[in-house]
Each structure stands twice: as C-alpha cells, then as structure tokens.
Amino acid sequence: MDTTSADAARQDATGQEPDAGGPSGSPPVRLPSSLSEIHRSVSVPAAGSWIRRLLAFVGPGYMVAVGYMDPGNWATAIAGGSAFGYTLLWIALLSSLMAMLLQAICARLGIATGRDLAQLCRERFPKPVAYPLWLLAETAICATDLAEVIGTAIALQLLFGLPLLDGVLLTVLDTVLILWLQHKGVRWLEAFIIGMIALIAGCFIVQLVMADPVWGDVLRGYLPSSSVVGDRTQLYLALGILGATVMPHNLYLHTALVQSRAAKQDVEGQREAIRFAGIDSTVALVIALLINSSILILAASAFHTRGQTGVAEIGEAHALLAPLLGAAAPTLFAIALLACGLNSTVTATIAGQVVMEGFLRIRLPPALRRLITRMIAIIPAVVVTWLYGESGTARLLVLSQVILSLQLPFAVIPLMMFAGDRRRLGVLATPRWQMALGWASAALIVGLNVLMLSQALLD
C-alpha cells in the first residue's frame, strides 16, 4: 500500500485523522473522523474463530439495509404489485443486486481511506462541484425522510386513529430515541435495528401465508421483461423501485458506519475488515430483498389477482386486506409499516449528520445536530401533509422515490471515481470486476433516468 493510502487509513488515539496538507505554505489541517462519537468504538477480537471475528463486524450492513425497506418501498411495491402483478419483481431483484455491489464498494472505500464519501467529495472536488453535490445529497435525504415521516404517520393513523398531521409532528420524538440509543453505544443502535427487521420479516411471513400466492408465478416474475421499457407507467414505477432500493444517502452512510470497528490498521487487518463488512452488508441486503419482494408479492396476490389493479395508497391497501385475507392481516401490515418507518428515520437522520459534517465540516453538539438534520426533513413533510392530506400521500411517496432515482447518479459516480483510484488505495483498491459492474450499474441508472425524462418531455 502506498504512503497516501496508509496515512489515510491510520488514526491516532484521539479519533482524529492524520494531518492533511493544507495550501502551499500553510500548516497541515487536522481532519475530524467520521461520526466521531462512535468512531472505532466497537472492539474487534485479535484472535478466536472466524465466526467470532465476523460477528464483531455485523451491524452496519443492517443499519444500511433498513433504507432499502422504508415506506417509500411500500408505496412503489404496492402500486407495482396491484397494477402489474409479479412483473416488476425482476426490477426489485436487479436493484438489490446493484445495491449489494455498491454497498460492498462503499465498505471497502470507508475502510481503506478512513474517510466517508461526503468527506472525500469535499476534499477531492473543487468547491463548485462539492457544494452542488452537498445540496443534492440534502435533497435526497429530504425526499427519503418525506417518505419515512409520512409512512410512520400513516402507520400511527392505522394503528391508533391518530390524525396524519399529528403523526408527522410526533416523528420528531424519534430524535430522542436516536440520542438515547447512540448514548448507550452503537451496538445498542444496531440491536434495535436488527430487532425491528426481525419484527417486519415476521409480520410479512404471516401475511404471505394468508395470501397464499402461486409460487410458480412469483418465480417467473424474477425473469427480466422488456415491457418495462415500452410502458411509461411501468417505467415510472420501475424507477421508483430503483430509487427506493438503491438509496443515495446509504452510500454516504455506509462509508461512515464501517469505521465504527476498531480493526487493525495494517493491510491484513483492513483486508479482513473489508471482507467481513462485505459479508455483513450482503446478507443484510438479501433479507431486505426478501422483505421488499414480500410487499410486492402481497400486493400482487391480494389485489392484482382479485381484480383490484388500482390500489396505490398504503391506507387503501390496509383497508382491503381485512376482507381479502382476514382481520389479523391489516394489523400486521400496520405494525410492519411502523417498524419500517422508525428504522428508516433513525438511519436517515444519521446519514444527514454524515452529509452535513462531511461536506460542511460543521461540528455541533449531538442533540442540536440531530434536531437540525431531522427538522430539514420534517418541515417539508408537515407542509406536504397539510396541503395534500391523505389523498395525496401515495403519489407523494412514489414521487419521492423517483426523485431519489434521479439524484442517485450524483452519489454513485463520485463513489466509483474514488473506488477506482488505485494510486490512493494501493493494494486495497477495488477489484476490476467490481469496478466494471459498478460503472455498468451507474450507466444503467443514468440511462433509465434519461429515458424517463425524455418520455416526459415528449408528452
């Protein structure tokens, strides 16, 4: 490994990065570490079994995975499943495979450089490029939180009859939950996330048993279909699924979270950390794929096969489940939605912290920092809910995911540029086959976005 990558990987006992050279003639700048309150806070056993060392790295992948099953996914999956049956399952599969690849590259980049993606953008791009990237990242987080806040509010309404606007305002309280969990330690935060994922999975397993889909048709839905290119509605929903699956803020978040492990900073230690972090995120994203598929399969088997092809709103889907599947189904549906909303708002808020600190180098007290990043998202959610009420939530949820898809190239392309920098990464550089597939994924995302925008302009 060359000197640059070795310096970037090492950190001192204070949690600070090594000195970085400032402008010519100026003293070196002391760079803060990413998420300093949890940086290198999880010990990694120096000896022991392979499984024991792997378990030390399990956690960040699941925190990233919750962004792949947030309420925005529900809106696109319900609309896609009710309108087109199992046809769009292959889009969910393709999106998840892309996500597994990109998140593995994120883990490698964060471990090899000791920097998160936002920090790298600020340090390696000129200001006229870095600041627009920051604005786009904030826009993506607002779009993400818009979906998550509205989804959580809908779940509270379905479970307790709480008015939608009151539910949106109540989501501010999850900031307290984040602060308490993070004060207890990152392992508590990860345990909470994994527990919620298990609850969500359990709810959907029971609902799928109730729905009793034709599994042969389900498996055929994972085979690619050209109909998505020729049908504008399918393309719109496919982009929504893509934006809801491969989420821009997760690329920033993962590069920061992997640095919470106190792995050895020599080449072998970093290689092991990269390998275990890749396993962690891949397994977590397989679980996310199964949950996302379950939402679409449930919508297809409960609605599409029974002629209910126009179901697009989460509330409408909840109301129809009881007569179709039984009284327990809507309750399980709402509990899973609430768990998804809580999980996703936790990780989106932390991603907002990573983006703000990385691009702007603003260091604030944890409570104030969390509140600011949360309010950036909740204000638009309050305004939108007040203006559109319940009737517009489904369209807004799908739209928020399309916005994420349009913003995605502005996170993926910098990621691939940094991941392919062999001069800086040295022997920890991303393998060429991963680079080829990563750039192919970026080209596919850009191509789909251009196709959708061209169709919109021609109308």
Side-chain angles (χ1 to χ4, degrees):
M1 182 168 58
D2 60 21
T3 304
T4 306
S5 58
D7 285 344
R10 287 194 298 267
Q11 292 140 359
D12 62 23
T14 65
Q16 299 285 327
E17 289 295 321
D19 291 344
S24 179
S26 64
V29 179
R30 199 68 169 169
L31 298 175
S33 56
S34 184
L35 295 176
S36 57
E37 58 268 39
I38 64 171
H39 186 76
R40 296 181 61 79
S41 61
V42 178
S43 61
V44 176
S49 67
W50 182 85
I51 292 293
R52 183 166 176 256
R53 296 199 308 279
L54 171 63
L55 290 175
F57 289 89
V58 171
Y62 291 86
M63 291 182 67
V64 169
V66 299
Y68 293 88
M69 58 184 88
D70 75 334
N73 292 65
W74 288 54
T76 53
I78 289 171
S82 65
F84 302 107
Y86 307 113
T87 304
L88 295 179
L89 277 172
W90 75 274
I91 296 292
L93 175 60
L94 177 64
S95 301
S96 294
L97 291 174
M98 291 167 54
M100 292 173 197
L101 172 66
L102 294 173
Q103 296 299 165
I105 292 173
C106 283
R108 176 181 292 273
L109 186 66
I111 292 167
T113 65
R115 317 297 288 153
D116 63 56
L117 182 57
Q119 290 172 329
L120 290 171
C121 286
R122 177 186 172 107
E123 292 162 13
R124 299 188 187 177
F125 288 141
K127 288 183 179 179
V129 175
Y131 285 137
L133 287 177
W134 167 69
L135 287 173
L136 287 168
E138 291 287 7
T139 301
I141 290 170
C142 285
T144 301
D145 263 0
L146 176 63
E148 291 157 359
V149 167
I150 290 176
T152 304
I154 291 173
L156 292 171
Q157 183 184 56
L158 297 179
L159 283 171
F160 308 112
L162 199 67
L164 201 60
L165 186 57
D166 292 351
V168 168
L169 295 172
L170 271 179
T171 60
V172 177
L173 296 179
D174 63 23
T175 302
V176 178
L177 174 65
I178 299 168
L179 287 169
W180 180 76
L181 287 171
Q182 202 158 346
H183 176 72
K184 299 284 287 184
V186 69
R187 280 306 217 181
W188 280 73
L189 196 60
E190 292 167 354
F192 172 80
I193 294 292
I194 292 172
M196 289 292 101
I197 290 175
L199 176 61
I200 295 162
C203 288
F204 274 108
I205 289 171
V206 175
Q207 289 177 88
L208 286 179
V209 171
M210 293 176 177
D212 192 23
V214 180
W215 290 105
D217 293 342
V218 171
L219 293 176
R220 281 188 287 274
Y222 286 109
L223 299 177
S225 169
S226 60
S227 61
V228 69
V229 178
D231 187 314
R232 183 181 173 186
T233 304
Q234 278 197 49
L235 178 62
Y236 184 79
L237 287 172
L239 271 177
I241 291 172
L242 180 65
T245 305
V246 188
M247 304 191 77
H249 76 276
N250 271 336
L251 304 182
Y252 294 99
L253 179 64
H254 202 187
T255 52
L257 289 176
V258 291
Q259 298 176 50
S260 62
R261 270 50 185 176
K264 290 182 179 179
Q265 294 301 289
D266 57 20
V267 172
E268 289 307 313
Q270 288 177 306
R271 279 177 169 163
E272 181 181 72
I274 289 168
R275 183 169 64 254
F276 286 153
I279 294 171
D280 171 48
S281 64
T282 300
V283 171
L285 289 174
V286 168
I287 295 172
L289 168 62
L290 295 177
I291 291 174
N292 284 336
S293 296
S294 297
I295 301 169
L296 196 149
I297 293 168
L298 180 65
S301 57
F303 306 135
H304 182 80
T305 58
R306 291 173 169 85
Q308 300 280 356
T309 58
V311 179
E313 295 188 20
I314 293 176
E316 183 183 5
H318 175 269
L320 289 172
L321 282 175
L324 294 175
L325 302 183
T331 301
L332 292 170
F333 182 87
I335 290 172
L337 178 60
L338 180 60
C340 280
L342 286 174
N343 257 359
S344 301
T345 51
V346 168
T347 55
T349 301
I350 297 174
Q353 174 187 344
V354 172
V355 167
M356 179 183 292
E357 290 184 355
F359 276 105
L360 304 183
R361 291 184 184 164
I362 295 178
R363 308 291 294 181
L364 299 173
L368 180 59
R369 185 172 59 231
R370 297 290 195 286
L371 187 60
I372 289 174
T373 53
R374 198 74 189 92
M375 293 305 294
I376 287 174
I378 207 163
I379 290 172
V382 169
V383 172
V384 165
T385 306
W386 179 64
L387 290 175
Y388 293 96
E390 297 177 30
S391 62
T393 55
R395 292 190 298 273
L396 289 166
L397 284 172
V398 174
L399 176 61
S400 71
Q401 304 311 296
V402 174
I403 290 172
L404 288 174
S405 182
L406 292 172
Q407 199 276 328
L408 187 56
F410 299 98
V412 172
I413 291 174
L415 171 68
M416 296 309 302
M417 290 173 63
F418 301 144
D421 189 345
R422 295 184 173 275
R423 183 178 64 84
R424 285 188 169 93
L425 296 181
V427 297
L428 298 177
T430 306
R432 295 187 188 280
W433 68 270
Q434 288 189 4
M435 290 299 301
L437 290 175
W439 278 116
S441 299
L444 177 61
I445 293 166
V446 172
L448 287 174
N449 285 334
V450 169
L451 180 60
M452 188 193 72
L453 289 174
S454 63
Q455 287 189 359
L457 291 174
L458 289 174
D459 286 350

